[in-house]
Amino acid sequence: MSDPIYSNSFVLLGDRKKMNKLAIALVAAFLTSTAQAIPFPTSSATVVASTGDLGNGSFGYFWSAGRGDKIEQLITGTGLTSVNGLALQLDITANVLINDAFVNWDLYLNDILVGDWTWADSDGTGTLNASYSFSSISGSGDYLLSMRVTNEVAAGEGSIAIGKDGTATLRGTNGVPEPASLALLGIGLTGLGAMRLRKQA
């Protein structure tokens, strides 16, 4: 006959492992993937361009990496503890590029390069829709989004302007559950504790 004390300890050890796995699964379930759509660029953005704010709902004109042309904006209060995806929707409101000229842009999140895009004379005006996936970038809910021109358009070959209030959608993990979700998590963990006490009894 097996030793009942040893046997009971073995059962408790096995149950403890199961409960630990279940607890980890419960916590992971509340670290949910989500997306936050933010107006970008807005009047609060830092803009380097030949003019800057054009006064007609657009920023311009962009054509020079040497000048440091860029649009940069701090996005706050997203609640995202990490970001692994980004979608851009921008209105190109003016395009006077000629002779096959184009403007290249690099895209940064928290000063980490996450993608690029190009607008050429043949694209005319219209809407840029671009989506990017990348390795997770951790943050405290605030992220610095920056677009930087990487080429020099030759003198006389034009530039582009970008409309205000496009959209940048950040995709990532929300590590701060809502109060109702926290209550459910607490109930689940309490239930696990009760199961363990019943087993010990």
Side-chain angles (χ1 to χ4, degrees), residues 15-31 184-186 188-193 195-196:
D15 288 343
R16 188 178 299 118
K17 288 180 178 179
K18 290 178 182 178
M19 286 189 287
N20 286 343
K21 288 181 179 179
L22 186 53
I24 291 170
L26 273 172
V27 172
F30 285 91
L31 297 176
L184 284 173
L185 178 60
L189 293 175
T190 300
L192 287 174
M195 286 172 57
R196 181 174 179 183

Side-chain angles (χ1 to χ4, degrees), residues 7-186:
S7 177
N8 188 47
S9 299
F10 180 79
V11 170
L12 286 174
L13 178 61
D15 288 343
R16 188 178 299 118
K17 288 180 178 179
K18 290 178 182 178
M19 286 189 287
N20 286 343
K21 288 181 179 179
L22 186 53
I24 291 170
L26 273 172
V27 172
F30 285 91
L31 297 176
T32 55
S33 294
T34 188
Q36 291 282 341
I38 299 101
F40 173 84
T42 67
S43 296
S44 66
T46 298
V47 177
V48 177
S50 64
T51 301
D53 192 333
L54 300 177
N56 61 357
S58 299
F59 294 119
Y61 292 97
F62 301 100
W63 53 268
S64 175
R67 182 175 51 224
D69 286 8
K70 69 177 182 177
I71 298 176
E72 191 168 87
Q73 182 173 320
L74 181 62
I75 298 170
T76 62
T78 67
L80 298 174
T81 55
S82 66
V83 172
N84 60 11
L86 170 65
L88 278 181
Q89 185 175 66
L90 301 174
D91 289 330
I92 311 303
T93 54
N95 181 353
V96 292
L97 295 168
I98 60 172
N99 298 333
D100 297 324
F102 54 86
V103 181
N104 282 332
W105 298 79
D106 275 351
L107 186 63
Y108 292 83
L109 191 67
N110 286 0
D111 286 323
I112 298 172
L113 180 64
V114 297
D116 57 59
W117 60 277
T118 298
W119 202 264
D121 65 341
S122 58
D123 293 320
T125 56
T127 301
L128 167 77
N129 287 287
S131 184
Y132 310 89
S133 296
F134 40 86
S135 299
S136 290
I137 297 172
S138 297
S140 58
D142 299 342
Y143 295 90
L144 183 66
L145 179 58
S146 179
M147 300 192 308
R148 306 171 191 174
V149 173
T150 63
N151 70 310
E152 200 80 14
V153 177
E157 293 194 352
S159 60
I160 64 172
I162 296 176
K164 296 180 183 178
D165 298 324
T167 303
T169 302
L170 301 180
R171 300 188 302 273
T173 300
N174 184 346
V176 184
E178 296 177 356
S181 298
L182 285 173
L184 284 173
L185 178 60

